[in-house]
Amino acid sequence: MSDQEYFTVHHQLTVNVEPLADDFSIPSIEEFQDEIPAPFLVASEFSSLDQLNDAARAELKSNDFKHVIQLLDTQNSKLNLLLTFMLSQQDNPDFRHQTTSFGASQFSYKSAQGLEQGQKVRVKLFLDHPAAAIYCYGIVFDTQVDKDETTISVKYDLLRDQDQDLLIKAALYQQQKLLRQRSLNREK
């Protein structure tokens, strides 16, 4: 993975961070692709289908097919509910945390137990919008101790390109939401 920097947004996502042994070797791309749990692959495919759905909606809207659009939205909602349930089965409470910020190159979270800089971790990120989940590997690059909590920052070490695109889309969505809220607050 390249060392590109992407902006981060302050937002809480559920993340599983599993510390790995010091002698753990990050798998090859092929091994990594093979070990990704099926629900994460399905989630990625669903996100691709959502893009097609958005294009179809725009095309239908221009021809005023509001009932067809409503049907598509309903079917999409059903699929997203099913996907959310499938992905919730992958969430391990032993490794569960909430991010304080995330982006397409890194994320941060708070924990009662710190990790050492350079510590390798297996990561499962559960996105709200788009509804998806990401399986990847990371490395701790910063820790900040504050009283009895530690803020741990993790840089992605092995991440599929399509999952990085999902992270970009999720960060942009949260940024747009924040900007809309600011605009509404100014209007009041």
Side-chain angles (χ1 to χ4, degrees), residues 5-23:
E5 289 296 319
Y6 296 91
F7 74 93
T8 60
V9 292
H10 294 281
H11 183 70
Q12 285 191 338
L13 297 174
T14 300
V15 63
N16 287 182
V17 180
E18 179 185 350
L20 302 170
D22 291 339
D23 61 349

Side-chain angles (χ1 to χ4, degrees), residues 138-157:
I139 189 162
V140 175
F141 74 91
D142 190 35
T143 56
Q144 301 289 323
V145 179
D146 182 33
K147 298 180 186 173
D148 38 333
E149 269 193 327
T150 303
T151 300
I152 300 169
S153 297
V154 176
K155 193 174 268 288
Y156 306 115
D157 195 29

